[in-house]
Amino acid sequence: MSPTNTYRVAQVPAAGGSFEIVEREVRRPGRDHVRIAVEACGVCHSDAGFVEGAYPGVQFPVVPGHEVAGRIDELGEGARELGWQVGDRVTVGWFGGSCHHCRPCRQGDFVVCDNLKVPGWAYDGGYAEALIAPVDALARIPDALSATDAGPMACAGVTVFQGLRRSPAKPGDVVAVLGIGGLGHLGVMYAVAMGFETVAIARGQEKAAFAEELGAHRYIDSTGGTPVAEALQALGGAKTVLATAGNAAAISETVEGLTPRGELVVIGAVPEPMGISPLQLLLKGRVVRGHPSGSAQDVQETMDFSALHGIRPTVEVVPLDEADAAYRKMMSGGARYRMVLRPD
């Protein structure tokens, strides 16, 4: 961020519009908030909900961005007492703060807060040189992670990490990751590090080599002729399928590949309904679970685990000035595998 009293943001002026770079006046953080000098911000497919005005209450112009990494450069009242200092390296993810008083919050399940504060929705996000965020949204970045690595961990990383570690799979069990794009390539690496027999599922035999590079023990080409469920059952069935692909039909096709009491964890966000019958679930006791992101503590643990096991996202870093091109590339499916904006 420049030393002046202004900073730059990439904003969309109206629903479905293109990004433009504008300057805003620097504001001081309020109580229990901090201002962060942004060093990197991932471009997530969920940002489309803000850019297109699909989420209720989105106000334009909108500044998206919920995979933020940077350094605290000013503390609001009370932030120091809560353990934060100027210069601390932090992330802010999809979990951008909670209300602390709704029933989920009172039960300690903050990520499903009735009044969840998502950056880009509740307040300006990280497509910017700076943002102001509440302290309960902050996770500390380990020294081993760069800002461009840490940013995607705050949404993509924590989502797949939590989805796997909250599943019923135990080390040695077969776990399948459907899709090896922006979410799935991290999912494969986490599954391997957690000790699962990891199966990557994607379209086309040409992706087998990449799956092997990620550490997958097996690869299933979903276009290869053998139905995915049949291929999984030939391996004994999957205890967990982590569905990262944004394709309802492809997700549905994995259900018969689950073991008895197996679980389909859905994190690929699409509006279309899945074609799953009650009998597919009832007869084998299978479970279908939607999984949201994760709290700031979950993000912290995701980054710590990543640092320990050498897991890093594959990113393409571009300057903030090219936010529109980065967003369009992500939406076209051309990103390999996370687009990351950097203000400098």
Side-chain angles (χ1 to χ4, degrees), residues 160-180 184 186-202 211 215-220 228 231-233 235-244 254 257-259 261-265 267 289:
V160 294
F161 180 76
Q162 279 289 96
L164 287 170
R165 74 169 177 171
R166 294 186 62 181
S167 81
K170 301 292 191 297
D173 285 343
V174 173
V175 168
V177 178
L178 176 65
I180 51 174
L186 286 166
V188 170
M189 290 188 283
Y190 286 133
V192 172
M194 291 177 184
F196 303 137
E197 183 179 345
T198 304
V199 182
I201 307 171
H217 302 101
R218 302 178 187 273
Y219 178 77
I220 295 174
V228 167
L232 287 173
Q233 287 298 344
L235 300 174
K239 188 66 175 179
T240 296
V241 171
L242 182 72
T244 74
T254 67
L258 291 168
T259 63
R261 306 292 181 186
E263 182 173 280
L264 171 61
V265 182
I267 60 176
R289 174 168 61 88

Side-chain angles (χ1 to χ4, degrees), residues 30-337:
R31 182 172 184 82
D32 296 341
H33 284 64
V34 299
R35 190 176 66 232
I36 300 168
V38 177
E39 296 177 344
C41 184
V43 179
C44 180
H45 196 275
S46 298
D47 291 334
F50 308 115
V51 174
E52 301 298 327
Y55 296 132
V58 173
Q59 295 184 352
F60 291 89
V62 67
V63 180
H66 56 267
E67 292 188 342
V68 186
R71 294 179 184 271
I72 296 175
D73 73 353
E74 186 169 354
L75 304 171
E77 184 181 355
R80 187 181 305 278
E81 289 73 14
L82 294 172
W84 301 100
Q85 301 288 336
V86 170
D88 285 349
R89 301 179 69 229
V90 295
T91 63
V92 179
W94 178 265
F95 177 82
S98 56
C99 72
H100 308 294
H101 61 74
C102 70
R103 186 167 184 173
C105 283
R106 288 171 63 85
Q107 293 174 332
D109 200 357
F110 302 106
V111 76
V112 290
C113 169
D114 290 341
N115 306 291
L116 187 66
K117 302 171 186 175
V118 180
W121 197 351
Y123 52 86
D124 285 347
Y127 288 21
E129 292 181 324
L131 87 160
I132 292 175
V135 294
D136 65 322
L138 306 180
R140 297 184 188 277
I141 300 174
D143 291 342
L145 294 184
S146 68
T148 52
D149 289 334
M153 297 290 183
C155 179
V158 69
T159 301
V160 294
F161 180 76
Q162 279 289 96
L164 287 170
R165 74 169 177 171
R166 294 186 62 181
S167 81
K170 301 292 191 297
D173 285 343
V174 173
V175 168
V177 178
L178 176 65
I180 51 174
L183 291 168
H185 85 289
L186 286 166
V188 170
M189 290 188 283
Y190 286 133
V192 172
M194 291 177 184
F196 303 137
E197 183 179 345
T198 304
V199 182
I201 307 171
R203 296 176 59 85
Q205 192 58 39
E206 67 277 3
K207 296 182 181 177
F210 181 54
E212 184 177 358
E213 288 176 20
L214 295 172
H217 302 101
R218 302 178 187 273
Y219 178 77
I220 295 174
D221 174 8
S222 62
T223 65
T226 302
V228 167
E230 185 178 324
L232 287 173
Q233 287 298 344
L235 300 174
K239 188 66 175 179
T240 296
V241 171
L242 182 72
T244 74
N247 184 309
I251 294 171
S252 304
E253 289 167 3
T254 67
V255 172
E256 290 292 339
L258 291 168
T259 63
R261 306 292 181 186
E263 182 173 280
L264 171 61
V265 182
V266 180
I267 60 176
V270 290
E272 293 79 21
M274 295 186 295
I276 299 172
S277 76
L279 284 177
Q280 288 178 290
L281 306 179
L282 291 170
L283 296 179
K284 297 292 186 179
R286 295 170 174 136
V287 173
V288 178
R289 174 168 61 88
H291 176 71
S293 180
S295 69
Q297 182 61 33
D298 297 328
V299 175
Q300 179 77 66
E301 292 169 7
T302 299
M303 291 191 293
D304 288 343
F305 185 91
S306 301
L308 182 64
H309 290 276
I311 295 172
R312 305 290 187 273
T314 300
V315 300
E316 182 177 344
V317 182
V318 297
L320 180 65
D321 290 345
E322 297 177 19
D324 194 74
Y327 173 79
R328 305 297 166 190
K329 186 171 184 177
M330 177 276 297
M331 291 296 293
S332 73
R336 292 295 181 267
Y337 282 91

